[in-house]
Amino acid sequence: MLDIKRIREDPDEVINRLSLRNQDYSAEIRQIAALDASRRATIVKAEALKAEQNAASKQIPQLKKAGGDVSAILARMKEISAETGALDASLRASGERLNALLLSIPNMPCADTPPGADAEANPEVRRCGLPPDFPFDPLPHWELGEALGILDPAAAAKTTGARFHFYRGLGARLERAIVNFFLDTHTGRGYTELFPPFIVNRAAMMGTGQLPKFEEDAFKLSDTDYFLIPTAEVPVTNMHRDEILQEERLPLHYCAYSACFRAEAGSAGRDTRGLIRQHQFNKVELVKFTTPEKSYADLETLTRDAEEVLSRLGLPYRVVRLCGGDLGFCSAMTYDIEVWMPSYGRYVEISSCSNFEDYQARRAGIRYRGAGGKPRLAHTLNGSGVAIGRTTAAILENFQRADKSVAIPEALRGYMGVGELTIG
């Protein structure tokens, strides 16, 4: 969440920065500033009354010892007790209201965020590789998967419902091969591999910003306060919740495979066929904990690490920087990596790499301490390293042949044990 001190000291600057998101948060920020000022005034009043109460408590035994009348003081103390009780109740209620308001406000975009309302305004940063020029009409991955006998959405619809898949035979092996290739690549670059829980509690979802705003997109377990994870970012980031890390340990680099579960409540009718938008999918996630001074340099290296696996697979991709209107709720700055999909005739997001600055760390209480120094909030970063199902789809489409066979990228052949997927 945002720093209340920053809102208190310069609400106009906060409003201006949030306006880069192509939305007006001025009413909410003014409301937070007014509520904060009212609370601080109430705290001063409550503390003055409690100081008066403490002084009277010391005065009473002295008056009694001297034979004085303490009835007026006792009456006043009764009044103070009632007043402080009411003020404390008011502070609890206003504190809950203030916290709820702060949790509803997104992160401030960094100052040089590109303007724009949506993904159409995202400026391209770089490209790698050329889209294939097929001498035949290429097929979408769901048709190739059916022809090769490796994707079976019909069986998944029977056992579960729409937007789920069974992978069969070499399709299942391809998915597993991609996971292992990604993990081996990232651990080879210094990331510590984790295998996290796929279920987290409400505090974890609050810590990384999925709650309370995006609860409708989450799968909640009935009669519990547990949620299926939307990404490994949630358990991995919250692994250090309410901790003080030592600065010499930073930056911490983690990579983690997980299944991911998303209700996709706001995407009805989008990408209903194939592997692009599923309720359950696999992903390898990259998470970093670092210092404010290094976080933007760490974002660049994290993004390059995510790109590397696509480059080694030979998949054409590009990197775009998200404009303010397309920026995620918790992010201060994001790069999207988009892979070329022939069936779409365009690049499709396969990874988002974001710097959250101290937004998540403030929510989750993640701090670090230098030698003899005061604890400071860490900066957290994460990126897909990358989405597995979309990689499978991109491999099928970009490496297909006229006879519907698909060449396996060289980087995966040691994991697959075959060099191609063929019919029959």
Side-chain angles (χ1 to χ4, degrees), residues 50 75 89 102 174 189 191 217 228 255 265 368 414 420 423:
K50 289 173 183 178
L102 286 168
L174 176 59
R189 293 185 63 84
Y191 288 82
D217 287 322
L228 298 178
C255 66
Y368 72 95
E420 63 181 1
I423 297 175

Side-chain angles (χ1 to χ4, degrees), residues 231 233 237 283 285-288 299 302 352-356 360 380-384:
T231 164
E233 169 200 347
T237 302
K283 187 150 65 82
E285 195 77 0
L286 306 176
V287 176
K288 288 188 178 185
L299 176 61
L302 183 145
S352 283
C353 299
S354 301
N355 185 355
F356 305 118
Q360 288 182 332
T380 62
L381 303 89
N382 94 279
S384 307

Side-chain angles (χ1 to χ4, degrees), residues 180-192:
N180 289 332
F181 166 63
F182 286 175
L183 289 173
D184 288 346
T185 300
H186 295 312
T187 55
R189 293 185 63 84
Y191 288 82
T192 298

Side-chain angles (χ1 to χ4, degrees), residues 42 55 66 68 74 82 181 209 212 290 314 321 356 361 366-367 385:
T42 302
L74 289 174
F181 166 63
T290 189
R321 181 170 173 190
F356 305 118
I366 303 169
R367 297 177 291 167

Side-chain angles (χ1 to χ4, degrees), residues 157-219:
K158 182 166 58 177
T159 63
T160 311
R163 297 195 181 189
F164 292 88
H165 263 77
F166 268 104
Y167 291 76
R168 291 179 176 271
L170 288 176
R173 187 186 297 181
L174 176 59
E175 187 92 351
R176 177 162 51 90
I178 294 168
V179 171
N180 289 332
F181 166 63
F182 286 175
L183 289 173
D184 288 346
T185 300
H186 295 312
T187 55
R189 293 185 63 84
Y191 288 82
T192 298
E193 182 179 349
L194 301 173
F195 187 54
F198 293 179
I199 297 173
V200 293
N201 57 33
R202 179 173 291 273
M205 293 283 277
M206 293 284 285
T208 42
Q210 280 74 26
L211 299 183
K213 185 174 177 61
F214 302 106
E215 188 157 351
E216 68 170 2
D217 287 322
F219 282 111

Side-chain angles (χ1 to χ4, degrees), residues 215-260:
E215 188 157 351
E216 68 170 2
D217 287 322
F219 282 111
K220 187 176 187 296
L221 302 188
S222 179
D223 299 323
T224 75
D225 221 14
Y226 288 160
F227 296 81
L228 298 178
I229 61 171
T231 164
E233 169 200 347
V234 180
V236 174
T237 302
N238 282 277
M239 185 172 63
H240 292 300
R241 190 173 77 233
D242 297 325
E243 290 185 15
I244 299 177
L245 307 170
Q246 295 305 308
E247 186 173 6
E248 60 267 22
R249 293 181 60 198
L250 302 180
L252 294 174
H253 305 70
Y254 295 115
C255 66
Y257 157 76
S258 78
C260 304

Side-chain angles (χ1 to χ4, degrees), residues 285-351:
E285 195 77 0
L286 306 176
V287 176
K288 288 188 178 185
F289 299 82
T290 189
T291 63
E293 294 77 14
K294 297 178 180 178
S295 67
Y296 278 95
D298 279 329
L299 176 61
E300 298 298 325
T301 57
L302 183 145
T303 304
R304 290 290 190 179
D305 290 340
E307 290 179 63
E308 182 185 353
V309 294
L310 298 177
S311 182
R312 289 181 61 184
L313 289 173
L315 289 169
Y317 69 87
R318 70 172 188 165
V319 178
V320 299
R321 181 170 173 190
L322 298 197
C323 69
D326 199 30
L327 202 61
F329 184 80
C330 295
S331 179
M333 177 177 172
T334 296
Y335 292 115
D336 269 7
I337 304 172
E338 301 177 341
V339 70
W340 178 257
M341 294 293 293
S343 67
Y344 285 68
R346 60 178 172 83
Y347 292 93
V348 173
E349 179 205 334
I350 197 168
S351 172

